[in-house]
Amino acid sequence: MKREEDLEWELRPGGMLVQKREDGDNNGGVGGGGGGDSGSGSAMINIKVCHGSNHHQLHVPIQSTFGDLKKRLVQETGLEPKDQRLLFRGKEIDDQECLQQVGVKDRSKLLLLEEMASKERKLEEARRSDEISKACKAVAEVKAEVDKLLEKVVALEATVNGGTTVEDKEFVVLTELLMRQLLKLDGIEAEGEAKVQRRAEVRRVQSLVEMLDTLKARNSNPFSTKSNAVSVTTKWETFESGLGSLTAPPPMPSSTAVNQDWETFD
């Protein structure tokens, strides 16, 4: 206790002289250490949550539920509440249970486990992402080869348009090289973005092959015009089954008229 001469006094409203209070006296005699087990509904406690090799220190109200705690742990672990399992003293606790009710107090330790379904889902997502990445890389390699062939096709087009006759083997070789790239694309198993890229590259290769066919025809007959070009179109009659019609066409009417009037002679 302080000696009387060491006491400090203060004058209250109304003229009353009282002993001056020190910091902490307003706590009603309760120490300000952390208020872990004060029993008050607003008391805060410090708990440690172990998740694998990681340890998370949380400062939470003692009246929080385990569901509330899981929501706090989302930002700490990246796990959604449905993917979390919280254990206290070796037992998994339901989301509705309150920390204080199950015996959690200041400096208590909890164990966080990840749901098996969540692990499997992440592994599947990682596998799929890896496959898409590999497929995109394969498509990119084909695209680089097609870019080189495109330059040759453009050069060949300029030559033909300039009136110079080119050997047919030039068209044949380029077409064969493009078809090889088309086969490579066909062998790539792709999903998602890789599938979109592969489809776009297939269409590009096909358009280049068609361009070569047109250039080859123009090179073989440089004096041909669109007016005398021959276009052959086959039209199939299809049914719901997808098969073509095997029915013979109806007979065409005869263009010869038969005259049965006979001319008689004497």
Side-chain angles (χ1 to χ4, degrees), residues 184-203:
K184 288 182 182 180
L185 290 170
D186 187 58
I188 298 175
E189 295 185 4
E191 297 180 12
E193 179 60 26
K195 188 174 183 180
V196 175
Q197 294 181 14
R198 184 187 65 179
R199 185 185 299 116
E201 199 60 28
V202 166
R203 290 174 178 172

Side-chain angles (χ1 to χ4, degrees), residues 3-4 21 44 52 66 73 79 116 144 147 160-161 176 178 183-184 187-188 213 233 261 264:
R3 292 178 301 176
E4 186 175 353
R21 293 185 179 184
M44 303 293 288
F66 277 78
L73 286 168
L79 293 176
M116 185 59 64
D147 287 341
V160 173
N161 290 340
E176 183 178 346
L178 285 169
L183 288 174
K184 288 182 182 180
I188 298 175
D213 290 340
T233 304
D261 293 335
T264 57

Side-chain angles (χ1 to χ4, degrees), residues 107-169:
R107 299 182 182 179
S108 289
K109 294 182 179 179
L110 284 76
L111 178 63
L112 173 62
L113 300 178
E114 185 177 357
E115 285 284 357
M116 185 59 64
S118 174
K119 290 183 178 180
E120 293 176 353
R121 184 172 62 254
K122 287 184 177 180
L123 288 174
E124 178 62 23
E125 290 175 354
R127 181 196 64 79
R128 186 170 181 270
S129 177
D130 184 59
E131 289 182 353
I132 292 176
S133 178
K134 290 180 179 179
C136 286
K137 183 179 179 180
V139 172
E141 292 175 355
V142 173
K143 185 178 184 299
E145 293 297 324
V146 174
D147 287 341
K148 296 177 183 178
L149 295 174
L150 173 60
E151 295 178 359
K152 296 182 179 181
V153 173
V154 171
L156 196 60
E157 181 183 26
T159 301
V160 173
N161 290 340
T164 303
T165 302
V166 182
E167 294 184 10
D168 284 351
K169 68 177 183 180

Side-chain angles (χ1 to χ4, degrees), residues 46-85:
N46 296 305
I47 60 175
K48 178 186 289 186
V49 180
C50 302
H51 178 217
S53 59
N54 299 317
H55 298 80
H56 306 285
Q57 297 285 349
L58 299 180
H59 190 58
V60 297
I62 196 171
Q63 293 296 336
S64 300
T65 65
F66 277 78
D68 297 331
L69 193 57
K70 286 183 177 180
K71 294 177 182 177
R72 278 286 305 275
L73 286 168
V74 172
Q75 56 186 348
E76 302 287 342
T77 65
L79 293 176
E80 292 298 324
K82 61 183 178 61
D83 297 328
Q84 300 178 28
R85 295 177 59 201

